[in-house]
Amino acid sequence: RQVLGWGLKRPWRVLGGAVVILAASVFAFRALPGEFVPSQDQSRLMVRLQTAVGSSLEESNKIFQRAEAFASSRPEVLSVFAVVGGGGGNTSANGGFMMLTLKPPDERMPQAEFQQILRKELNSYPGLRAVVQDLSQAGFTAQRGFPVEFSVRGSDWDQLVKASQEMREKVQASGKVVDVDTDYQLGMPELRITPDRARAADLGVPIQAVATTINALVGGVRVGKYSTGGRRIDVRMRLLAGQRSRPEDLAMLKVRTASGALVPLSSLVTQEERPALQAITRRDRERAISIFANVAPGSSQEEALATVERLAKDLPGGVRVVPGGASVAFRDSMSSLFFALFLGIGVAYMVLGAQFNSFLHPVTVLTILPLSVAGASFALLGTGSTLNIFSMIGLLLLMGIVKKNSIILVDYALQQRELGLDAVESMLRAGPVRLRPILMTSTATMMAAVPAALALGAGSETRAPMSIAVLGGLSVSTVLSLVVVPAFYVVADRMKTRLATWRGKRPDDEVGGPTAQGRPGGEEPRPAAHG
């Protein structure tokens, strides 16, 4: 009662202090790191491994065994499952992956720290490139499941390759991401043979004869079959392995001319050795090269995506960067949740307006919402939490919870106005009388959120931000609603009275008056409750 009396004598100071808190919360809200979903310690990891281009399956297997031996020797690891020569989006002999199952979190170091150890050790092996993937970030999109995914698109393939390599180097050098990977993969070098049609025509050698000779002697051709044990087996003929393993071996091949003479194949063809792409990828019917990355320790997904957008502005004309996968899901989810937040406030205003039969009283009730967001921002920032879809859901819950304090105060104040009291006297009565139900309901709600906010047990990384947002917003709004809402009610009443006086009209019962017409349905005045 004493604090409320002091505040109602200085309502503008109270509102000024609320504005200062709200302004500070804006900076706190902007300082919150943003991400789609927080990483969870699921005791599972996936490591994508790739050896040098052109490595055989046997060579890749030796390097994989070394990586598997290191992972198995770690005390944090329970089991290792490795695949060599395919899987994990790679079908070449130099690619594969490992699936690691870790011990429970209370028996080892945090999973994020172990990822750093694994990443540093495996990438130190000559001829091996390792990308550690947090499986808790996968499954939300149809892509690989990395937090940072985008594609570089354009019509000129050569320009596109150059631009994607520059983007990959710049993004990796920014320090905001780690494990930068791409789907632009050069395969083993291939030998391209181009026939000299004019020379072949002069010698009377059909082009088909050139192709048939190379196909039969190098690739092999079926010349017969034989049966054994009830099975029929093809007999294929080609040169010995030592006669067809080098590009120079083509010079020893000969083709027959129309006159029956044999001429060297090298005199009829030109050859070029160059690496070949494993695949040419497209997105939305447009050539594209995708780049994937994990968020670096100490950074956030929002900062990494902002870095990608900033670097994309330096790309040449005809080339553009399009976010994909989890990057698009992050932006879409944030915009949708903010839309739901403002839509909920609008619906709440309409419902309160219908209940109070007033345009002004809902504004008085909703003045506590920005202060509850301020409390949630301070709580999230103080606990090191991020702004993700779960903390945003906590904010949505908060919008529906904190209004009840203001509704209790304003409704009782309106009852006192019907008894003939002014705005200040009505709030002086409403505050002490409604203090007990406000504290009872707020405390019960906060205690229900405490277990989840303690972040105990599996999956606590997703539950904790939601509960922390509710706890912070509810604690701040409960304290401030006892002073700020009455101050705003008194100021609104004075402004409405002055406006009506300036217009030369009698103030109606919009804010409250001695009649019962301001109540919905013209109800009779209810007796005042006494604490």
Side-chain angles (χ1 to χ4, degrees):
R1 185 186 300 272
Q2 294 178 357
V3 174
L4 183 59
W6 179 90
L8 293 181
K9 291 179 181 179
R10 306 165 181 84
W12 285 106
R13 293 187 182 181
V14 174
L15 295 181
V19 171
V20 171
I21 295 176
L22 185 60
S25 70
V26 173
F27 293 98
F29 196 83
R30 298 183 63 179
L32 285 173
E35 60 183 353
F36 183 39
V37 291
S39 296
Q40 304 177 51
D41 193 335
Q42 298 181 340
S43 298
R44 297 186 306 135
L45 285 176
M46 178 178 178
V47 185
R48 298 177 183 269
L49 301 173
Q50 186 174 5
T51 58
V53 175
S55 300
S56 63
L57 191 62
E58 292 76 13
E59 295 172 342
S60 299
N61 188 39
K62 292 180 181 179
I63 302 178
F64 272 53
Q65 287 178 345
R66 182 181 177 185
E68 186 178 357
F70 170 77
S72 301
S73 65
R74 294 292 304 184
E76 299 86 359
V77 179
L78 281 179
S79 62
V80 181
F81 173 75
V83 174
V84 186
N90 197 325
T91 58
S92 60
N94 68 323
F97 68 93
M98 287 195 310
M99 297 293 296
L100 306 182
T101 302
L102 308 182
K103 293 182 179 179
D106 57 348
E107 300 179 13
R108 56 172 169 81
M109 66 175 67
Q111 183 172 296
E113 296 182 12
F114 181 68
Q115 288 180 220
Q116 286 289 89
I117 296 175
L118 203 62
R119 183 180 295 116
K120 182 178 180 181
E121 174 68 21
L122 297 184
N123 283 295
S124 66
Y125 296 168
L128 180 66
R129 185 173 179 275
V131 174
V132 183
Q133 184 172 358
D134 183 3
L135 294 178
S136 67
Q137 298 287 329
F140 297 98
T141 63
Q143 304 298 322
R144 292 191 183 183
F146 286 89
V148 180
E149 297 185 18
F150 61 94
S151 59
V152 184
R153 304 183 184 183
S155 57
D156 189 338
W157 178 252
D158 295 333
Q159 185 184 27
L160 185 62
V161 172
K162 182 179 179 181
S164 66
Q165 292 176 348
E166 292 179 357
M167 276 294 297
R168 179 180 177 181
E169 294 173 357
K170 291 180 179 179
V171 169
Q172 191 166 10
S174 66
K176 301 295 183 181
V177 296
V178 294
D179 298 330
V180 183
D181 196 11
T182 178
D183 60 0
Y184 176 76
Q185 301 289 343
L186 287 175
M188 295 181 62
E190 65 179 15
L191 187 64
R192 297 189 178 185
I193 300 174
T194 305
D196 188 343
R197 297 181 179 271
R199 177 67 173 167
D202 292 341
L203 296 177
V205 178
I207 300 299
Q208 183 180 1
V210 176
T212 303
T213 300
I214 297 175
N215 179 59
L217 298 181
V218 179
V221 63
R222 189 179 67 184
V223 295
K225 297 182 179 181
Y226 76 95
S227 301
T228 175
R231 300 178 59 189
R232 180 172 294 181
I233 302 175
D234 291 340
V235 178
R236 301 184 65 86
M237 180 186 67
R238 62 176 177 174
L239 293 176
L240 298 177
Q243 298 173 336
R244 54 178 170 82
S245 59
R246 300 176 303 165
E248 293 81 4
D249 295 336
L250 288 178
M252 304 186 65
L253 303 182
K254 295 183 180 181
V255 295
R256 194 174 297 276
T257 63
S259 61
L262 294 175
V263 296
L265 181 65
S266 59
S267 63
L268 298 176
V269 298
T270 58
Q271 59 189 45
E272 179 187 10
E273 187 176 1
R274 56 185 297 181
L277 287 174
Q278 295 182 5
I280 296 179
T281 56
R282 288 178 171 83
R283 304 286 182 189
D284 299 330
R285 303 177 65 183
E286 188 178 12
R287 286 189 172 184
I289 296 177
S290 299
I291 298 177
F292 315 91
N294 286 321
V295 178
S299 299
S300 65
Q301 185 179 13
E302 186 178 20
E303 294 175 349
L305 295 180
T307 301
V308 171
E309 294 176 352
R310 176 175 54 83
L311 295 175
K313 297 179 180 179
D314 300 331
L315 291 177
V319 179
R320 59 193 178 96
V321 169
V322 179
S327 302
V328 174
F330 168 70
R331 294 294 172 84
D332 291 345
S333 63
M334 287 294 109
S335 59
S336 299
L337 287 171
F338 277 113
F339 174 76
L341 182 65
F342 289 109
L343 180 63
I345 295 175
V347 172
Y349 176 85
M350 290 188 290
V351 172
L352 291 172
Q355 291 294 319
F356 286 109
N357 194 23
S358 168
F359 290 107
L360 183 59
H361 295 325
V363 178
T364 305
V365 172
L366 297 177
T367 52
I368 199 60
L369 296 186
L371 298 176
S372 66
V373 175
S377 303
F378 294 143
L380 292 172
L381 187 63
T383 56
S385 302
T386 61
L387 186 64
N388 50 65
I389 59 173
F390 298 103
S391 54
M392 284 295 297
I393 292 174
L395 290 178
L396 292 176
L397 293 174
L398 197 60
M399 297 296 101
I401 295 173
V402 300
K403 293 194 298 290
K404 53 91 180 174
N405 295 343
S406 303
I407 294 174
I408 291 175
L409 283 173
V410 174
D411 181 68
Y412 192 84
L414 291 179
Q415 296 179 31
Q416 301 305 306
R417 295 300 299 274
E418 294 170 0
L419 299 178
L421 302 179
D422 60 10
V424 176
E425 294 175 345
S426 299
M427 275 298 173
L428 282 175
R429 285 193 179 184
V433 171
R434 293 306 196 190
L435 176 63
R436 177 175 293 181
I438 288 175
L439 292 181
M440 290 172 62
T441 54
S442 298
T443 304
T445 306
M446 293 172 65
M447 291 302 101
V450 168
L454 294 178
L456 302 176
S460 59
E461 295 89 349
T462 59
R463 298 191 302 267
M466 186 188 310
S467 301
I468 290 173
V470 172
L471 281 173
L474 196 55
S475 58
V476 172
S477 63
T478 299
V479 175
L480 295 182
S481 64
L482 299 174
V483 181
V484 175
V485 173
F488 185 87
Y489 182 85
V490 171
V491 170
D493 179 77
R494 292 175 181 176
M495 294 180 65
K496 185 170 183 63
T497 302
R498 292 176 183 175
L499 182 62
T501 303
W502 177 75
R503 289 181 176 180
K505 299 179 181 180
R506 177 181 176 276
D508 57 20
D509 201 32
E510 178 77 17
V511 176
T515 67
Q517 298 176 357
R519 298 193 55 79
E523 300 177 3
E524 293 297 327
R526 289 177 287 180
H530 297 280

